[in-house]
């Protein structure tokens, strides 16, 4: 237990940094995933092709491959930033593909007559999506979106292996390899801190799901 009690400050800082990674990645992946879902159902063929290519390419690549190309490939072509920015960017790009598919399923669950009625009164595709389709799609997509986001919170631990210093996983590696603490209590504590992120997130999603049922 000395590994935990002696390093509470380090664990606290690492928890906040991991929480920040999760929040930035959640917002970014929801925004990007919604845009890609719009492309997937767009009446414009090139946009549909782009959305399909993006999802099939990213969803079938391991997260570590996406991280590798972002963290080490972008600097090779002149894009330089911190590993924190690269890591969050890779996590957004990767998770957005799964958000897109969860949201597309919600879009397909909206009765086709509603989209046809929106077109009949003169709404554009963008107005139709933003005012009619997406509000209903998000409500029906809360369970799969929640699963995607919770998986993303856990995937954020991979960033520690790609140079993102100070988050929970990299802090655990530092304590065990550099300072000689036993690995078992350190990584048990890290697992507990991840539960502090995922369990409240799951409870919040359950509340949102119940409210969505009432709204429907």
């Amino acid at each position: 237990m000395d590994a935990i009690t002696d390093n509470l400050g380090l664990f606290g800082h690492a928890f906040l940094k991991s929480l920040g990674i999760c929040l930035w990645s959640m917002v970014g992946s929801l925004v990007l995933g919604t845009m890609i879902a719009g492309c997937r159902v767009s009446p414009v063929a090139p946009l549909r092709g782009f959305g399909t290519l993006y999802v099939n390419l990213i969803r079938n690549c391991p997260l570590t491959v996406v991280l590798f190309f972002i963290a080490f490939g972008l600097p090779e072509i002149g894009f330089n930033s911190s590993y924190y920015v690269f890591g969050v960017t890779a996590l957004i790009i990767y998770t957005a593909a799964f958000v897109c598919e969860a949201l597309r399923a919600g879009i397909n669950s909206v009765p086709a007559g509603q989209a046809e009625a929106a077109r009949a009164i003169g709404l554009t595709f963008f107005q139709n999506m933003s005012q009619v389709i997406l509000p209903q799609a998000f409500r029906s997509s809360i369970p799969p979106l929640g699963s995607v986001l919770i998986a993303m919170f856990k995937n954020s631990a991979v960033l520690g292996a790609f140079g993102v210093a100070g988050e929970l996983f990299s802090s655990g590696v530092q304590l065990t390899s550099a300072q000689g603490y036993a690995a078992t209590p350190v990584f048990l504590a890290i697992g507990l801190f991840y539960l502090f992120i995922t369990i409240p997130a799951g409870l919040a999603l359950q509340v949102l799901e119940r409210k969505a049922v009432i709204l429907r």
Side-chain angles (χ1 to χ4, degrees):
M1 293 298 292
D2 289 344
I4 301 172
T5 56
D6 292 349
N7 297 282
L8 285 177
L10 177 65
F11 279 119
H13 180 270
F15 172 76
L16 292 176
K17 189 158 188 178
S18 291
L19 182 61
I21 290 170
C22 292
L23 293 176
W24 280 116
S25 300
M26 178 182 70
V27 172
S29 61
L30 285 173
V31 171
L32 181 58
T34 301
M35 294 170 63
I36 301 299
C39 291
R40 290 275 274 158
V41 299
S42 171
V44 181
L47 288 178
R48 287 200 309 274
F50 167 75
T52 301
L53 178 64
Y54 181 95
V55 169
N56 289 333
L57 182 64
I58 300 298
R59 194 173 57 166
N60 292 296
C61 278
L63 174 58
T64 50
V65 173
V66 177
L67 276 164
F68 180 87
F69 278 105
I70 296 294
F72 303 113
L74 289 183
E76 292 292 327
I77 58 174
F79 292 94
N80 294 301
S81 188
S82 66
Y83 282 120
Y84 181 92
V85 172
F86 284 147
V88 170
T89 301
L91 201 54
I92 289 172
I93 290 172
Y94 181 78
T95 308
F98 296 89
V99 169
C100 166
E101 289 302 276
L103 189 54
R104 188 168 70 94
I107 291 172
N108 290 335
S109 72
V110 177
Q114 296 198 24
E116 293 169 0
R119 286 195 296 269
I121 63 174
L123 293 184
T124 65
F125 174 75
F126 178 78
Q127 291 171 327
N128 194 352
M129 288 293 292
S130 61
Q131 299 175 26
V132 179
I133 305 298
L134 283 178
Q136 299 178 75
F138 270 110
R139 286 197 291 270
S140 62
S141 300
I142 288 175
L145 281 175
S147 298
V148 168
L149 293 176
I150 288 175
M152 183 267 292
F153 295 159
K154 294 182 287 185
N155 285 340
S156 68
V158 180
L159 272 61
F162 281 82
V164 181
E167 56 84 52
L168 281 168
F169 183 79
S170 62
S171 297
V173 172
Q174 175 189 342
L175 288 174
T176 54
S177 62
Q179 300 185 29
Y181 286 104
T184 300
V186 169
F187 285 99
L188 281 175
I190 288 171
L192 184 62
F193 277 111
Y194 275 110
L195 290 177
F196 289 156
I197 297 175
T198 55
I199 290 178
L203 294 174
L205 287 164
Q206 288 178 11
V207 172
L208 281 176
E209 187 177 355
R210 286 196 294 268
K211 289 185 176 181
V213 170
I214 293 171
L215 286 173
R216 272 186 254 157

Short mmCIF file of all heavy atoms in Angstrom, two decimals, residues 48-80:
data_model
loop_
_atom_site.label_atom_id
_atom_site.label_comp_id
_atom_site.label_asym_id
_atom_site.label_seq_id
_atom_site.Cartn_x
_atom_site.Cartn_y
_atom_site.Cartn_z
N ARG A 48 -20.96 10.09 -49.52
CA ARG A 48 -21.26 8.74 -49.04
C ARG A 48 -20.04 7.85 -49.19
O ARG A 48 -19.72 7.05 -48.30
CB ARG A 48 -22.43 8.13 -49.81
CG ARG A 48 -23.78 8.70 -49.47
CD ARG A 48 -24.91 7.76 -49.89
NE ARG A 48 -24.78 7.33 -51.28
CZ ARG A 48 -25.26 8.00 -52.33
NH1 ARG A 48 -25.87 9.16 -52.13
NH2 ARG A 48 -25.13 7.53 -53.55
N GLY A 49 -19.33 7.98 -50.30
CA GLY A 49 -18.13 7.18 -50.52
C GLY A 49 -17.06 7.50 -49.50
O GLY A 49 -16.39 6.60 -48.98
N PHE A 50 -16.89 8.81 -49.21
CA PHE A 50 -15.90 9.19 -48.20
C PHE A 50 -16.26 8.62 -46.84
O PHE A 50 -15.39 8.08 -46.13
CB PHE A 50 -15.81 10.72 -48.12
CG PHE A 50 -15.04 11.22 -46.92
CD1 PHE A 50 -13.66 11.13 -46.88
CD2 PHE A 50 -15.72 11.73 -45.82
CE1 PHE A 50 -12.96 11.57 -45.77
CE2 PHE A 50 -15.02 12.17 -44.70
CZ PHE A 50 -13.64 12.09 -44.68
N GLY A 51 -17.54 8.73 -46.45
CA GLY A 51 -17.96 8.21 -45.15
C GLY A 51 -17.75 6.71 -45.04
O GLY A 51 -17.27 6.21 -44.02
N THR A 52 -18.09 5.98 -46.11
CA THR A 52 -17.91 4.53 -46.11
C THR A 52 -16.43 4.16 -46.02
O THR A 52 -16.05 3.25 -45.26
CB THR A 52 -18.53 3.94 -47.38
OG1 THR A 52 -19.93 4.27 -47.42
CG2 THR A 52 -18.36 2.43 -47.41
N LEU A 53 -15.61 4.85 -46.80
CA LEU A 53 -14.17 4.57 -46.77
C LEU A 53 -13.59 4.85 -45.39
O LEU A 53 -12.79 4.06 -44.87
CB LEU A 53 -13.47 5.42 -47.83
CG LEU A 53 -11.94 5.29 -47.90
CD1 LEU A 53 -11.54 3.88 -48.30
CD2 LEU A 53 -11.36 6.31 -48.88
N TYR A 54 -13.96 5.98 -44.80
CA TYR A 54 -13.44 6.35 -43.47
C TYR A 54 -13.78 5.27 -42.45
O TYR A 54 -12.91 4.80 -41.71
CB TYR A 54 -14.04 7.69 -43.05
CG TYR A 54 -13.56 8.18 -41.71
CD1 TYR A 54 -12.51 9.06 -41.61
CD2 TYR A 54 -14.17 7.75 -40.52
CE1 TYR A 54 -12.06 9.50 -40.37
CE2 TYR A 54 -13.73 8.17 -39.29
CZ TYR A 54 -12.68 9.06 -39.22
OH TYR A 54 -12.23 9.49 -37.99
N VAL A 55 -15.05 4.88 -42.41
CA VAL A 55 -15.49 3.91 -41.40
C VAL A 55 -14.80 2.56 -41.61
O VAL A 55 -14.28 1.96 -40.66
CB VAL A 55 -17.02 3.76 -41.42
CG1 VAL A 55 -17.46 2.57 -40.58
CG2 VAL A 55 -17.68 5.04 -40.92
N ASN A 56 -14.80 2.09 -42.84
CA ASN A 56 -14.20 0.77 -43.11
C ASN A 56 -12.71 0.75 -42.86
O ASN A 56 -12.15 -0.25 -42.41
CB ASN A 56 -14.51 0.34 -44.54
CG ASN A 56 -15.96 -0.02 -44.75
OD1 ASN A 56 -16.63 -0.44 -43.81
ND2 ASN A 56 -16.45 0.14 -45.96
N LEU A 57 -12.04 1.87 -43.15
CA LEU A 57 -10.60 1.92 -42.96
C LEU A 57 -10.24 2.03 -41.48
O LEU A 57 -9.41 1.25 -40.97
CB LEU A 57 -10.02 3.12 -43.73
CG LEU A 57 -8.50 3.31 -43.68
CD1 LEU A 57 -7.80 2.13 -44.35
CD2 LEU A 57 -8.10 4.61 -44.36
N ILE A 58 -10.85 2.98 -40.78
CA ILE A 58 -10.48 3.23 -39.39
C ILE A 58 -10.99 2.13 -38.46
O ILE A 58 -10.27 1.67 -37.56
CB ILE A 58 -11.02 4.60 -38.93
CG1 ILE A 58 -10.43 5.73 -39.79
CG2 ILE A 58 -10.71 4.83 -37.45
CD1 ILE A 58 -8.93 5.86 -39.71
N ARG A 59 -12.22 1.69 -38.68
CA ARG A 59 -12.80 0.71 -37.76
C ARG A 59 -12.07 -0.63 -37.81
O ARG A 59 -12.09 -1.38 -36.84
CB ARG A 59 -14.29 0.52 -38.09
CG ARG A 59 -15.06 -0.20 -37.01
CD ARG A 59 -16.54 -0.21 -37.29
NE ARG A 59 -16.86 -0.83 -38.58
CZ ARG A 59 -18.08 -1.20 -38.94
NH1 ARG A 59 -19.09 -1.01 -38.11
NH2 ARG A 59 -18.31 -1.75 -40.11
N ASN A 60 -11.44 -0.93 -38.93
CA ASN A 60 -10.76 -2.21 -39.07
C ASN A 60 -9.25 -2.12 -38.83
O ASN A 60 -8.53 -3.08 -39.07
CB ASN A 60 -11.03 -2.79 -40.46
CG ASN A 60 -12.48 -3.20 -40.63
OD1 ASN A 60 -12.95 -4.10 -39.95
ND2 ASN A 60 -13.20 -2.53 -41.51
N CYS A 61 -8.79 -0.97 -38.36
CA CYS A 61 -7.39 -0.80 -37.94
C CYS A 61 -7.31 -0.84 -36.42
O CYS A 61 -8.17 -0.27 -35.74
CB CYS A 61 -6.83 0.53 -38.44
SG CYS A 61 -6.28 0.52 -40.15
N PRO A 62 -6.29 -1.44 -35.85
CA PRO A 62 -6.10 -1.35 -34.39
C PRO A 62 -5.81 0.10 -33.98
O PRO A 62 -5.23 0.88 -34.75
CB PRO A 62 -4.88 -2.24 -34.13
CG PRO A 62 -4.75 -3.09 -35.34
CD PRO A 62 -5.28 -2.29 -36.49
N LEU A 63 -6.22 0.45 -32.77
CA LEU A 63 -5.96 1.79 -32.26
C LEU A 63 -4.47 2.10 -32.25
O LEU A 63 -4.06 3.24 -32.53
CB LEU A 63 -6.54 1.93 -30.85
CG LEU A 63 -6.24 3.24 -30.11
CD1 LEU A 63 -6.73 4.45 -30.90
CD2 LEU A 63 -6.86 3.21 -28.72
N THR A 64 -3.65 1.10 -31.95
CA THR A 64 -2.20 1.35 -31.90
C THR A 64 -1.65 1.77 -33.26
O THR A 64 -0.73 2.57 -33.34
CB THR A 64 -1.46 0.09 -31.42
OG1 THR A 64 -1.91 -1.04 -32.18
CG2 THR A 64 -1.72 -0.17 -29.95
N VAL A 65 -2.23 1.23 -34.34
CA VAL A 65 -1.78 1.61 -35.69
C VAL A 65 -2.15 3.07 -35.97
O VAL A 65 -1.35 3.84 -36.51
CB VAL A 65 -2.38 0.67 -36.75
CG1 VAL A 65 -2.05 1.16 -38.15
CG2 VAL A 65 -1.87 -0.74 -36.55
N VAL A 66 -3.38 3.45 -35.60
CA VAL A 66 -3.81 4.84 -35.80
C VAL A 66 -2.92 5.77 -34.98
O VAL A 66 -2.46 6.82 -35.47
CB VAL A 66 -5.29 5.00 -35.40
CG1 VAL A 66 -5.73 6.47 -35.55
CG2 VAL A 66 -6.18 4.11 -36.26
N LEU A 67 -2.64 5.40 -33.74
CA LEU A 67 -1.77 6.22 -32.89
C LEU A 67 -0.37 6.33 -33.49
O LEU A 67 0.23 7.41 -33.46
CB LEU A 67 -1.68 5.60 -31.49
CG LEU A 67 -2.80 5.94 -30.52
CD1 LEU A 67 -2.79 4.98 -29.34
CD2 LEU A 67 -2.66 7.37 -30.03
N PHE A 68 0.13 5.24 -34.02
CA PHE A 68 1.47 5.26 -34.60
C PHE A 68 1.55 6.25 -35.75
O PHE A 68 2.48 7.06 -35.83
CB PHE A 68 1.84 3.85 -35.09
CG PHE A 68 3.20 3.77 -35.71
CD1 PHE A 68 4.32 3.56 -34.93
CD2 PHE A 68 3.37 3.92 -37.08
CE1 PHE A 68 5.59 3.49 -35.50
CE2 PHE A 68 4.62 3.86 -37.66
CZ PHE A 68 5.73 3.64 -36.86
N PHE A 69 0.57 6.20 -36.67
CA PHE A 69 0.61 7.08 -37.82
C PHE A 69 0.42 8.55 -37.43
O PHE A 69 1.03 9.44 -38.03
CB PHE A 69 -0.45 6.67 -38.85
CG PHE A 69 0.00 5.55 -39.74
CD1 PHE A 69 -0.50 4.27 -39.56
CD2 PHE A 69 0.93 5.76 -40.74
CE1 PHE A 69 -0.07 3.23 -40.37
CE2 PHE A 69 1.36 4.73 -41.55
CZ PHE A 69 0.86 3.47 -41.37
N ILE A 70 -0.41 8.80 -36.42
CA ILE A 70 -0.61 10.19 -35.98
C ILE A 70 0.63 10.70 -35.24
O ILE A 70 1.15 11.79 -35.52
CB ILE A 70 -1.85 10.30 -35.08
CG1 ILE A 70 -3.12 9.95 -35.86
CG2 ILE A 70 -1.96 11.70 -34.48
CD1 ILE A 70 -3.46 10.91 -36.97
N ALA A 71 1.13 9.90 -34.28
CA ALA A 71 2.22 10.37 -33.42
C ALA A 71 3.56 10.43 -34.13
O ALA A 71 4.39 11.31 -33.86
CB ALA A 71 2.33 9.47 -32.18
N PHE A 72 3.80 9.51 -35.07
CA PHE A 72 5.10 9.44 -35.73
C PHE A 72 5.05 9.78 -37.22
O PHE A 72 6.08 10.12 -37.81
CB PHE A 72 5.71 8.04 -35.53
CG PHE A 72 5.86 7.65 -34.10
CD1 PHE A 72 5.11 6.62 -33.57
CD2 PHE A 72 6.73 8.33 -33.26
CE1 PHE A 72 5.23 6.25 -32.23
CE2 PHE A 72 6.86 7.97 -31.93
CZ PHE A 72 6.11 6.94 -31.40
N GLY A 73 3.86 9.67 -37.81
CA GLY A 73 3.74 9.98 -39.23
C GLY A 73 3.57 11.47 -39.50
O GLY A 73 4.21 12.02 -40.41
N LEU A 74 2.72 12.14 -38.70
CA LEU A 74 2.49 13.57 -38.95
C LEU A 74 3.76 14.42 -38.82
O LEU A 74 3.97 15.31 -39.64
CB LEU A 74 1.39 14.09 -38.01
CG LEU A 74 -0.04 13.61 -38.31
CD1 LEU A 74 -1.03 14.26 -37.36
CD2 LEU A 74 -0.43 13.90 -39.75
N PRO A 75 4.62 14.17 -37.80
CA PRO A 75 5.86 14.97 -37.76
C PRO A 75 6.74 14.79 -39.00
O PRO A 75 7.48 15.70 -39.36
CB PRO A 75 6.56 14.44 -36.50
CG PRO A 75 5.46 13.94 -35.64
CD PRO A 75 4.46 13.35 -36.60
N GLU A 76 6.65 13.63 -39.64
CA GLU A 76 7.45 13.40 -40.84
C GLU A 76 7.04 14.29 -42.01
O GLU A 76 7.84 14.56 -42.90
CB GLU A 76 7.34 11.92 -41.26
CG GLU A 76 7.98 10.94 -40.30
CD GLU A 76 9.50 11.07 -40.25
OE1 GLU A 76 10.08 11.39 -41.30
OE2 GLU A 76 10.08 10.88 -39.18
N ILE A 77 5.78 14.76 -42.00
CA ILE A 77 5.32 15.63 -43.09
C ILE A 77 5.14 17.07 -42.61
O ILE A 77 4.46 17.85 -43.26
CB ILE A 77 4.01 15.09 -43.71
CG1 ILE A 77 2.91 14.96 -42.65
CG2 ILE A 77 4.25 13.75 -44.38
CD1 ILE A 77 1.56 14.57 -43.24
N GLY A 78 5.73 17.39 -41.45
CA GLY A 78 5.79 18.78 -41.02
C GLY A 78 4.76 19.21 -40.00
O GLY A 78 4.73 20.39 -39.63
N PHE A 79 3.91 18.30 -39.53
CA PHE A 79 2.94 18.66 -38.51
C PHE A 79 3.51 18.28 -37.14
O PHE A 79 3.61 17.09 -36.81
CB PHE A 79 1.61 17.93 -38.74
CG PHE A 79 0.88 18.38 -39.96
CD1 PHE A 79 1.04 17.70 -41.16
CD2 PHE A 79 0.04 19.48 -39.94
CE1 PHE A 79 0.37 18.10 -42.30
CE2 PHE A 79 -0.63 19.90 -41.07
CZ PHE A 79 -0.46 19.22 -42.26
N ASN A 80 3.89 19.27 -36.36
CA ASN A 80 4.51 19.02 -35.07
C ASN A 80 3.63 19.54 -33.94
O ASN A 80 3.08 20.64 -34.02
CB ASN A 80 5.88 19.70 -35.00
CG ASN A 80 6.87 19.10 -35.98
OD1 ASN A 80 7.17 17.91 -35.92
ND2 ASN A 80 7.38 19.91 -36.89
#
